[in-house]
Structure formats: C-alpha cells, structure tokens
C-alpha cells in the first residue's frame, strides 16, 4: 500500500464512525445515510417522510430520531437522536482547499 492508500483508509475509518444509516421510522420503506454531530443528523428528505426516523450507528445501536426540519425542494432533512458516544467527523474549510486536491464523499445507503 502507498502512503495515499494508508491515508485514505485512515480517513474512511474516521468518517465511518460519524456516518449513520437512516431508516424511515414510521413507514419503514426509506433508507439512506446521514452524518452526525452532537445528535443532529443531516440526511435526504426522501428518506424520512413522517415525524420520526431511526438512526443505525457503526456500533450496531439503533436509536429513534425526531425529524426537526425538512426541505423537500433541496431534498434535505435534519433529525435528532438522544444518544451518547457519537463522534462527529471533522469538517474542513472549503476555502482552504486547493484546485486538484482530493475530496472524499462518504455514505452508508
């Protein structure tokens, strides 16, 4: 493995801990991913249609979540879980990124 491979593997491991699988808690038909920080999870609005959803975390825990906001036009929703031990991922400032720099997107559909 190259140094870049090792760095990408470390980044994937770090981000996996903050990536949440989101299930529609009321209809059971939607599933997608979200990203958590302090119990707030950003996900796609199409995943959560009712007032509640469910977050499934890396360690296997499943927690009920309340849908706080939905924006169907932008396909975004914010849900909240009341769970401890959540590890937010580090967000980089996009203004400091350089042209040609590698960017990684993470999801858990």
């Amino acid at each position: 493995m190259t140094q870049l491979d090792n760095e990408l593997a470390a980044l994937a491991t770090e981000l996996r801990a903050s990536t949440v699988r989101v299930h529609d808690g009321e209809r059971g038909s939607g599933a997608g991913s979200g990203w958590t920080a302090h119990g707030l999870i950003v996900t796609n609005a199409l995943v959560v249609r009712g007032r509640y959803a469910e977050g499934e975390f890396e360690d296997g825990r499943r927690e009920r979540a309340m849908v706080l906001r939905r924006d169907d036009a932008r396909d975004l929703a914010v849900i909240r879980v009341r769970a401890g031990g959540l590890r937010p991922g580090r967000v980089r400032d996009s203004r400091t990124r350089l042209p040609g720099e590698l960017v990684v997107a993470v999801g858990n559909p």
Side-chain angles (χ1 to χ4, degrees), residues 38-81:
H38 311 294
L40 295 176
I41 300 170
V42 177
T43 191
N44 296 98
L46 65 89
V47 173
V48 290
R49 294 291 180 194
R51 293 186 53 198
Y52 296 97
E54 183 178 71
E56 181 179 348
F57 299 91
E58 176 192 27
D59 62 7
R61 286 183 298 160
R62 295 176 84 119
E63 299 285 343
R64 186 174 185 185
M66 177 177 274
V67 178
L68 299 179
R69 298 281 190 271
R70 291 175 45 88
D71 184 335
D72 290 319
R74 291 181 178 91
D75 191 27
L76 290 173
V78 176
I79 63 177
R80 170 174 281 160
V81 294

Side-chain angles (χ1 to χ4, degrees), residues 20-37:
V20 181
R21 184 173 175 105
V22 178
H23 304 274
D24 184 334
E26 294 183 359
R27 294 187 182 99
S29 59
S33 64
W35 202 56
T36 185

Side-chain angles (χ1 to χ4, degrees), residues 4 94 96-104:
L4 177 60
S94 64
T96 65
R97 301 299 92 193
L98 300 172
E101 191 170 4
L102 182 64
V103 176
V104 177

